[in-house]
Amino acid sequence: MIAQDVIKLAVKYIGEADLALTDILGGQIEATGQQIEKLELLLDCVNDVVQTLSLMYFPLKFEESVNSSTGIVNFADLTKPIVDILKLTDEHNLEVDYTFFPTHFEAKKGKLNLVYTYMPDYVHSFSEELEVAENKVSERLLALGVVARYFMFVGMYSDAEAWNMMFERACLVSKRRKDNVVMRKRRWI
């Protein structure tokens, strides 16, 4: 999913569909200074919503192997910005105990397999791909959050509250697992 697709939907919800026609979002009209400011604010809102979704609703998971000769693994050395460790195993696939610190974690020495949740990178361009949970986060869900954040930033607090309620409800519906729905067997007469 690309940031500009989410923003195109969000500007329709905001009531400024003319922004979707600007050259920044792939249209043919050259954007004015004021339109550029609004679009950059909307891009910041997209980043904020993606971060919120990855922390609160749909954590992004990553797996990598780490090698530690001292038993200390610095978070800065990992591929992605870590939020939490989900699983840590050794080369024999046995669970390893660890101690979590603000800048690193300590575990036994040697080669370890680490599964963790991470924060997605900020997008700096409208044409960049967004890192969101596959099959859980739709453009509509992101656009609802973007509109809520946008109204909050521009000072329209009652509108922001209404859109944020819609966003939170949509998150809860998307979070509900479809395979957990169980229908009780019934006898038919």
Side-chain angles (χ1 to χ4, degrees):
M1 181 178 331
I2 299 173
Q4 75 181 17
D5 295 337
V6 174
I7 292 173
K8 283 181 184 179
L9 185 56
V11 295
K12 290 178 186 174
Y13 290 159
I14 291 170
E16 298 204 26
D18 58 321
L19 291 174
L21 304 174
T22 61
D23 55 349
I24 294 174
L25 297 180
Q28 298 176 353
I29 299 172
E30 187 173 340
T32 64
Q34 187 179 15
Q35 289 175 325
I36 291 170
E37 284 180 21
K38 283 183 184 178
L39 290 171
E40 287 175 352
L41 176 59
L42 285 166
L43 187 61
D44 289 341
C45 293
V46 167
N47 283 317
D48 186 39
V49 171
V50 168
Q51 298 284 322
T52 300
L53 287 173
S54 69
L55 279 175
M56 296 179 64
Y57 296 101
F58 309 107
L60 300 172
K61 297 176 186 172
F62 192 74
E63 183 173 349
E64 71 178 280
S65 293
V66 292
N67 213 350
S68 174
S69 59
T70 62
I72 296 175
V73 177
N74 290 316
F75 296 147
D77 297 336
L78 298 176
T79 308
K80 305 272 185 183
I82 189 170
V83 173
D84 193 19
I85 295 175
L86 299 176
K87 187 176 182 182
L88 184 65
T89 57
D90 61 10
E91 62 270 0
H92 304 294
N93 208 22
L94 299 172
E95 292 263 347
V96 174
D97 290 332
Y98 60 89
T99 306
F100 202 86
F101 294 97
T103 59
H104 66 279
F105 70 89
E106 293 179 6
K108 72 178 200 174
K109 298 176 186 178
K111 185 176 180 183
L112 302 170
N113 189 35
L114 174 64
V115 179
Y116 60 95
T117 58
Y118 69 94
M119 290 291 287
D121 293 329
Y122 282 105
V123 294
H124 301 287
S125 163
F126 294 95
S127 59
E128 282 186 58
E129 190 76 23
L130 300 174
E131 278 187 272
V132 292
E134 294 289 322
N135 301 324
K136 290 283 186 180
V137 178
S138 65
E139 282 181 15
R140 180 183 174 278
L141 178 64
L142 280 168
L144 289 173
V146 168
V147 172
R149 298 302 191 279
Y150 175 79
F151 282 139
M152 185 184 68
F153 288 141
V154 297
M156 299 175 68
Y157 300 115
S158 60
D159 288 340
E161 184 178 356
W163 282 93
N164 195 51
M165 284 178 40
M166 290 192 310
F167 170 66
E168 288 176 356
R169 286 184 190 143
C171 287
L172 293 175
V173 168
S174 292
K175 190 174 181 176
R176 187 175 346 136
R177 294 187 55 174
K178 306 295 188 265
D179 58 339
N180 282 349
V181 178
V182 177
M183 296 283 293
R184 290 184 14 204
K185 291 184 181 180
R186 299 189 51 115
R187 288 196 275 174
W188 297 94
I189 300 177

